[in-house]
Amino acid sequence: MKEDKFHDEIIKTAIEKLSLSESYKMVYMPQHGRSMPSVVILNEMVNKFREILFPGYFGHSSLNRNNYSYHLGVNVDEAFRLLSDQVFRGICFSCRQDQEFDYECGENEAMEKSTQLIAKLPEIRRLLATDVRAAYLGDPAANSEGEVIFSYPTIRAMTNHRIAHELYNLNVPLIPRIISEMAHSETGIDIHPGAKIDEFFAIDHGTGVVIGETAIIGKRVKIYQGVTLGAKSFPLDDQGNPIKGIPRHPVVEDDVIIYSNATILGRISIGKGSVIGGNIWVTKDLPPYSRITQQKPLDQSFSNGGGI
């Protein structure tokens, strides 16, 4: 009994401390009571889009040419229902607490943006097909394009990205970022939904890749694990906060290859057809067809303390 009383006191003290406003003011959701996005439902939604974009690879295996249209129609309808609900919740999340929220207007906006995303699905599938082709052609270890679709992290990450990017362009709050972070958690590939990535894009291996919000990547670009397309230090406003939305990430032109762990920072341009070697740090523009590699290892002798 004495021990139970001791534990009760500890729990009571913890609850009292957690209830203090200074403890929760930075982590409390002030719109509590309004519908919030669900990571679980968003994961279900992205998987549904995966079934639509790669029919036969994901979801039910009973798909055939005779039932394809029916199967597709059911999945699109279900994906639209999940998407419009989550977009509405994203809109709820972004609205200010001191403003009256118009639920009907929010629902109409969510339906409109979700309809526009559904209209983009054929183009998203076309782009992803080029990504699959690029990954297959760029990897001698790949036995088939189907193997790439099923198992390569680049396709998983790019599927999430191409959906999230369209939602980002539609000014959907929060949801694109959650979808991108889902892929980040699964693959180790961190692509901000604002990044513009053209067709035939491939990431080999993938782990540790970072692509910032305002990065622009051209056609037929290939990057390897650990590559960062990031920002240098950014300007602050009068209150000392980072100024949002300014272009601050690299522009990578067509047909560029960037090898593992290269770090490219700032709003610079990597010219068409350039090759960036591994473990390279780049902060200045490079003209087209540049070749940047590390210095060859030096053969040095350190006998009797000399050279140290």
Side-chain angles (χ1 to χ4, degrees):
M1 292 294 290
K2 198 177 218 179
E3 280 191 7
D4 288 346
K5 188 175 181 182
F6 176 70
H7 291 149
D8 289 345
E9 284 300 318
I10 292 175
I11 292 171
K12 181 182 176 185
T13 301
I15 291 173
E16 288 174 350
K17 289 182 177 178
L18 289 168
S19 299
L20 296 173
S21 61
E22 59 265 31
S23 170
Y24 64 72
K25 64 182 179 182
M26 285 295 294
V27 295
Y28 174 60
M29 166 42 70
Q31 287 98 337
H32 183 68
R34 293 177 184 170
S35 302
M36 291 292 103
S38 164
V39 174
V40 174
I41 299 298
L42 282 170
N43 189 56
E44 179 186 350
M45 183 197 78
V46 171
N47 284 334
K48 189 61 66 179
F49 278 121
R50 231 182 287 281
E51 286 185 47
I52 295 166
L53 295 166
F54 299 105
Y57 283 96
F58 302 103
H60 298 294
S61 58
S62 59
L63 182 68
N64 57 55
R65 291 185 184 278
N66 295 326
N67 63 18
Y68 175 72
S69 295
Y70 171 78
H71 173 86
L72 186 64
V74 170
N75 278 339
V76 169
D77 186 64
E78 178 68 5
F80 176 75
R81 185 185 63 79
L82 295 171
L83 175 62
S84 57
D85 177 61
Q86 292 302 304
V87 170
F88 172 71
R89 290 165 183 257
I91 294 169
C92 285
F93 175 85
S94 66
C95 63
R96 287 170 46 185
Q97 189 182 15
D98 57 352
Q99 287 182 333
E100 186 176 346
F101 182 67
D102 186 334
Y103 280 83
E104 185 176 352
C105 184
E107 286 178 346
N108 290 337
E109 183 182 350
M111 292 280 281
E112 176 61 28
K113 291 181 186 297
S114 300
T115 302
Q116 291 184 54
L117 188 281
I118 295 296
K120 289 283 186 179
L121 288 178
E123 175 61 9
I124 292 175
R125 179 190 276 173
R126 186 193 72 78
L127 289 170
L128 286 170
T130 70
D131 298 334
V132 171
R133 189 69 178 156
Y136 172 68
L137 294 176
D139 184 1
N143 293 307
S144 68
E145 289 161 336
E147 180 181 321
V148 171
I149 293 171
F150 261 134
S151 60
Y152 275 41
T154 180
I155 300 306
R156 197 160 193 86
M158 288 306 297
T159 301
N160 282 40
H161 175 71
R162 295 210 184 275
I163 294 169
H165 181 65
E166 293 300 337
L167 292 172
Y168 178 92
N169 288 340
L170 291 168
N171 293 318
V172 172
L174 184 62
I175 304 302
R177 194 58 190 267
I178 296 177
I179 293 173
S180 293
E181 289 302 328
M182 287 160 51
H184 184 192
S185 298
E186 292 175 350
T187 66
I189 299 170
D190 180 3
I191 310 176
H192 192 284
K196 297 177 182 176
I197 303 177
D198 213 322
E199 62 189 25
F200 285 95
F201 178 64
I203 305 172
D204 206 357
H205 306 294
T207 303
V209 165
V210 177
I211 301 176
E213 179 184 15
T214 62
I216 299 175
I217 298 176
K219 296 179 174 65
R220 298 173 298 278
V221 170
K222 182 177 184 181
I223 66 177
Y224 286 76
Q225 69 275 13
V227 166
T228 295
L229 303 180
K232 293 191 286 190
S233 59
F234 28 77
L236 305 178
D237 62 19
D238 294 338
Q239 286 73 46
N241 300 312
I243 300 175
K244 306 289 187 181
I246 58 174
R248 58 195 184 280
H249 300 99
V251 176
V252 180
E253 297 181 356
D254 297 346
D255 303 306
V256 169
I257 299 174
I258 307 172
Y259 285 96
S260 59
N261 298 315
T263 300
I264 303 173
L265 301 179
R267 192 58 164 186
I268 61 173
S269 292
I270 306 301
K272 175 182 170 66
S274 294
V275 177
I276 311 297
N279 299 306
I280 296 290
W281 187 276
V282 183
T283 58
K284 295 181 180 177
D285 290 335
L286 294 179
Y289 305 104
S290 296
R291 295 288 186 273
I292 306 296
T293 59
Q294 288 204 62
Q295 187 179 26
K296 291 181 179 178
L298 298 176
D299 185 12
Q300 294 180 325
S301 174
F302 297 99
S303 60
N304 298 321
I308 298 177

